[in-house]
DNA sequence: CCCAATTTGTTCGTATGTATA
DNA sequence: TTATACATACGAACAAATTGG
């Protein structure tokens, strides 16, 4: 087994560094679920043997995956596959906080759930064909008991076979945790576009707000490992008491 | 000189890795202007000798500064201090683009300029005392000839001595380039909070828009090396045809 | 056009320190 | 205490890109 891997790697067309190949091999294992969320991956010493390279080369591959928040290193313990727990959601994916800086985990309530077909916009965002089957549901998010955000979420049915309203309602943790644990889809990155817009009647009604209130409209696409779109989400946020918080980088 | 540096580093209270100390030493040189924007820093071989450590240790320090977009490596040429040119602005600091994804550099026109004193909000954001002297000016930004954004910019006068309206108007490049070249202040990071709001009368008038239009309001603080706030900026963006574009990370 | 010098990029190997179980 | 795993640091060799002669 070890020899095979080494050959496969050194047989690469070259020009591509070994550590990049190893990074790809690791991503493949993550994608296939060979390395499951929350579990420790083999130690650097094991990987060094398995891939037949120096330990520094292994570390360089792991470095990149750690920088992408895909793996998590812990000195003395091991290197782990990142999971979608509440902390990670709050830190990396939920960008709304009170204007005084207070940040907390939102309470989520599902409004409705339906099977539908992708319109042009959804198809483009999810990189699927127009008319392909999708699941669509809406969530109301609250902070400190106050409803302030409506999420309309669209998933390609092909990626989420047999996902039912019941399973969504009864999920014990975050949505992304469900995607990860039940369907092997780990969200590792999002792209989003924000704009200001007057609250659509539907949205205002769902949140119990006056129609015509200015709201933040967010279009977000969530991707898993190989830039595969997993979810498209349109959010409307009441920003009268809360902000969307961002920074530089990329 | 070399010996002194080595002593200084090894005399550190320990617990702090050498490469972290070297990173700090490099940041100090950048802060003091010993390494000027756009210029090459000494080669890794030189730094290795100067600091009296292994080349790998130098590389690890540089790695971090490269990841922070403070230094830029170029194989065969050297390692350079990042400058605020238009490309960097567009890529790292200007987040507005057309809703169809088209991205370009904005045209800037200064509306007014005044000396004032920091109110409570400005003081908090800029970490200065309330009532301290500040410079305040407003810019209208246009894309493809259409005015779509009003920036109100506040600078602590202490950091920008003798900055005049004339120099601002006659700057050849970006604002951050001016901060960097004329005042030795390199913006390396920003924090921002976004919300939706109805266009204030003043803003609508300056941009030639109808009052009461929903606009994106952005509060941004720009920092230089040691988390020192350099600029506070409140922007109002007409997002009827454009979006604010963001991503994950941090 | 090629050669030589310089500089960063990759890879190897080893030793030791520190945190965890 | 011991074993394991990641973190730091050292040193060396060669590859790849750039520059200037």
């Amino acid at each position: 087994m070890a020899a095979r891997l080494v050959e496969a790697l050194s047989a690469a067309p070259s020009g591509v560094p070994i550590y990049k190949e190893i990074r790809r091999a690791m991503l493949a294992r993550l994608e296939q679920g060979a390395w499951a969320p929350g579990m420790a991956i083999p130690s650097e010493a094991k990987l060094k043997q398995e891939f037949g390279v120096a330990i520094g080369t292994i570390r360089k591959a792991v470095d990149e995956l750690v920088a992408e928040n895909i793996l998590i290193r812990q000195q003395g313990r091991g290197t782990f596959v990142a999971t979608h727990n509440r902390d990670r959601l709050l830190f990396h994916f939920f960008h709304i906080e009170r204007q005084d800086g207070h940040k907390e985990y939102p309470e989520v309530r599902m409004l409705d759930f339906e099977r539908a077909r992708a319109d042009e916009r959804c198809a483009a965002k999810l990189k699927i064909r127009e008319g392909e089957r999708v699941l669509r549901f809406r969530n109301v998010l609250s902070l400190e008991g106050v409803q302030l955000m409506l999420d309309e979420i669209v998933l390609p049915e092909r990626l989420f076979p047999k996902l039912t309203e019941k399973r969504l309602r009864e999920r014990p943790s975050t949505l992304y945790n469900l995607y990860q644990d039940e369907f092997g889809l780990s969200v590792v990155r999002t792209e989003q576009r924000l704009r200001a817009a007057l609250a659509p009647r539907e949205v205002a009604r769902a949140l119990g707000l006056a129609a015509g209130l200015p709201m933040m409209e967010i279009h977000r696409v969530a991707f898993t490992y190989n830039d595969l779109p997993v979810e498209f989400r349109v959010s409307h946020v009441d920003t009268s008491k809360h902000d969307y918080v961002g920074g530089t980088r990329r």
Side-chain angles (χ1 to χ4, degrees), chain A:
Chain A
M1 175 67 165
R4 276 240 308 277
L5 281 166
V6 178
E7 281 169 37
L9 291 177
S10 35
S14 182
V16 180
I18 299 175
Y19 77 90
K20 288 282 188 190
E21 294 287 349
I22 291 179
R23 175 183 175 280
R24 287 190 61 84
M26 289 178 166
L27 275 176
R29 294 185 189 191
L30 291 164
E31 208 174 345
Q32 295 157 15
W35 291 350
M39 303 309 296
I41 70 170
S43 72
E44 293 171 351
K46 293 245 181 61
L47 291 170
K48 157 189 138 84
Q49 298 213 351
E50 194 180 336
F51 286 106
V53 299
I55 198 168
T57 305
I58 297 293
R59 283 190 67 82
K60 201 156 178 178
V62 173
D63 279 345
E64 293 203 347
L65 298 177
V66 168
E68 296 173 74
N69 303 309
I70 291 172
L71 295 180
I72 297 168
R73 280 211 187 93
Q74 285 184 256
Q75 187 176 0
R77 298 225 306 137
T79 302
F80 301 83
V81 182
T83 59
H84 278 284
N85 51 31
R86 301 202 159 201
D87 286 345
R88 190 179 182 196
L89 171 74
L90 211 56
F91 196 67
H92 290 293
F93 297 100
F94 185 69
H95 304 279
I96 307 297
E97 64 180 48
R98 224 162 60 188
Q99 287 178 2
D100 64 12
H102 175 77
K103 201 172 175 184
E104 68 175 43
Y105 187 82
E107 191 183 319
V108 184
R109 179 171 58 87
M110 201 192 327
L111 271 191
D112 47 37
F113 174 95
E114 59 173 359
R115 285 155 207 283
R117 300 205 172 251
D119 60 17
E120 189 182 344
R121 187 182 67 175
C122 280
K125 294 284 190 180
L126 290 171
K127 289 183 206 146
I128 60 178
R129 291 187 324 277
E130 200 176 330
E132 201 167 328
R133 289 178 188 281
V134 294
L135 307 173
R136 186 194 316 264
F137 54 99
R138 296 188 303 165
N139 287 336
V140 171
L141 278 67
S142 308
L143 287 175
E144 298 165 292
V146 179
Q147 302 187 343
L148 82 161
M149 185 167 173
L150 179 70
D151 286 358
E152 181 182 341
I153 298 170
V154 182
L155 309 176
E157 193 171 38
R158 189 165 39 82
L159 294 181
F160 296 86
K162 314 214 196 253
L163 176 54
T164 59
E165 179 172 357
K166 185 167 184 306
R167 273 170 96 187
L168 270 174
R169 287 197 187 278
E170 292 171 358
R171 75 191 139 91
S173 183
T174 70
L175 209 45
Y176 286 0
N177 188 282
L178 174 80
Y179 297 172
Q180 185 176 62
D181 285 358
E182 304 283 323
F183 302 94
L185 295 170
S186 288
V187 171
V188 296
R189 183 175 73 81
T190 63
E191 285 178 5
Q192 42 219 317
R193 307 180 69 93
L194 291 72
R195 63 186 70 151
L198 297 181
R201 197 186 329 269
E202 265 289 296
V203 175
R205 202 165 52 82
L207 292 176
L209 300 171
L213 194 81
M215 298 192 83
M216 180 97 75
E217 181 178 323
I218 306 175
H219 294 200
R220 173 164 97 177
V221 183
F223 299 86
T224 184
Y225 296 119
N226 283 88
D227 282 333
L228 177 71
V230 163
E231 172 203 81
F232 174 52
R233 179 186 297 216
V234 177
S235 304
H236 284 87
V237 188
D238 173 6
T239 54
S240 54
K241 299 266 192 312
H242 296 78
D243 287 333
Y244 176 98
V245 180
T248 328
R249 302 302 148 77
R250 154 66 189 170

